[in-house]
Amino acid sequence: MLNLAQQSDDPITIAVLENRSGKFAELGTSKWQASHLAVEEINQNGGILGREIEIIDPDPQSDVNRYRQLVTDILEHEDPDAIWAGSPPRKERLSVR
């Protein structure tokens, strides 16, 4: 829950990690597009509590290792307010563990 006493004019940063290339691009591209359309609509209507949303959206390229590195880099260097991330099929996730 947002603490109204800590409101800021800074944008809300959301990392969107959806595959737009590689073997999972068919699933990820439409989710990536929907995320952008939703953020665009929210921003056109004044944002969230007056704050615009900015998106960080590198392409994991359907590569589990790249996905893991992108998440680590984003958390360490970008300090997002939220991460929206797709999930590879179960057999691909098992290889991450």
Side-chain angles (χ1 to χ4, degrees):
M1 179 180 281
L2 292 174
N3 181 343
L4 297 180
Q6 295 178 344
Q7 280 190 5
S8 167
D9 291 333
D10 293 338
I12 295 169
T13 305
I14 298 175
V16 176
L17 287 125
E18 294 291 355
N19 297 302
R20 297 182 312 278
S21 61
K23 63 184 174 182
F24 303 122
E26 187 175 341
L27 297 171
T29 300
S30 60
K31 293 190 293 182
W32 177 82
Q33 291 170 332
S35 298
H36 275 267
L37 286 172
V39 166
E40 182 180 321
E41 183 177 323
I42 291 167
N43 284 341
Q44 287 175 350
N45 288 295
I48 297 174
L49 296 174
R51 295 171 62 188
E52 282 204 355
I53 300 171
E54 289 184 354
I55 293 179
I56 302 166
D57 64 346
D59 180 4
Q61 301 172 352
S62 302
D63 181 316
V64 174
N65 293 320
R66 177 173 165 76
Y67 187 96
R68 183 181 325 128
Q69 187 61 52
L70 289 171
V71 170
T72 299
D73 291 347
I74 288 169
L75 289 173
E76 289 179 356
H77 304 291
E78 302 290 343
D79 192 30
D81 296 294
I83 296 179
W84 173 257
S87 176
R90 187 173 192 286
K91 69 178 185 174
E92 295 293 327
R93 286 192 305 249
L94 292 175
S95 66
V96 175
R97 296 180 184 154

